Amino acid sequence: METGTYVAHVNYFKKFYDLCFKEQAAEYGLQMIDVHVLLFLKNNPGMNTARDIVANRGLSKSNVSNALEKLRGRGMLRLEEDPGSRRIQRIFLNPSGDSVAAALKKTQSRCFEELLRGFSGEERRTLSLYFRRINENVAAAVKNREQERRKP
């Protein structure tokens, strides 16, 4: 498969994924960045810092920061100082944010079920293994490039 085809697949998936949430986001008065933040916090309770969101979702720091302020202002989440380091703010969903995130998670599940329709359990497990390997390769490549950039 040609490299350009991979990029096209990724872009087409992003478009589909965003469309899955379009009506629901409008219903809750959310932008897609807000949806990404809420879903990340719901799906990854142990990763609850802005840095975690930026690193794992590939979102910009400024967009995440703006979304966090907006969601906090709407009472959907709260920030608490980490007991081990005052520089770290932990992010927690409030009941209203958790309720919205739970509804978004159902939509996310339906979205992926639609994508994987017709795949057997074994095919889904294999696909998951392939994605995990790709992620490991990407993480290693990013680390290598960052280290090379730091070299004098």
Side-chain angles (χ1 to χ4, degrees):
M1 189 179 296
E2 293 182 35
T3 307
T5 306
Y6 294 128
V7 174
H9 290 314
V10 169
N11 288 334
Y12 208 52
F13 168 77
K14 284 182 185 179
K15 182 176 183 171
F16 169 75
Y17 190 77
D18 287 356
L19 285 172
C20 287
F21 294 99
K22 187 175 181 173
E23 288 180 25
Q24 196 173 29
E27 175 186 336
Y28 290 117
L30 302 172
Q31 300 296 318
M32 273 309 295
I33 183 70
D34 306 324
V35 170
H36 292 308
V37 167
L38 289 169
L39 279 170
F40 182 85
L41 293 169
K42 183 70 174 172
N43 291 329
N44 305 283
M47 291 192 273
N48 60 356
T49 67
R51 178 177 285 178
D52 292 331
I53 299 167
V54 168
N56 289 285
R57 287 293 288 123
L59 304 169
S60 75
K61 291 178 188 178
S62 62
N63 285 345
V64 169
S65 178
N66 290 337
L68 291 173
E69 279 306 309
K70 174 183 170 184
L71 294 168
R72 188 171 141 210
R74 291 182 57 186
M76 297 178 119
L77 54 82
R78 68 186 184 285
L79 304 176
E80 294 180 8
E81 190 176 280
D82 185 282
S85 173
R86 294 188 313 182
R87 295 183 310 159
I88 298 173
Q89 294 284 312
R90 298 283 172 191
I91 308 161
F92 300 96
L93 293 170
N94 286 335
S96 65
D98 190 57
S99 174
V100 170
L104 293 169
K105 187 171 180 167
K106 286 180 184 176
T107 299
Q108 185 182 52
S109 293
R110 286 191 303 272
C111 173
F112 283 109
E113 278 304 313
E114 188 173 348
L115 286 175
L116 298 173
R117 187 177 307 130
F119 282 77
S120 69
E122 182 61 32
E123 288 171 322
R124 289 177 185 216
R125 285 185 288 280
T126 300
L127 184 61
S128 180
L129 288 172
Y130 290 157
F131 280 132
R132 188 173 302 124
R133 284 173 45 196
I134 290 170
N135 279 343
E136 289 169 1
N137 289 345
V138 168
V142 167
K143 184 177 179 180
N144 289 339
R145 299 235 170 131
E146 286 175 344
Q147 287 174 346
E148 293 203 7
R149 262 203 255 140
R150 288 187 206 125
K151 289 181 182 177

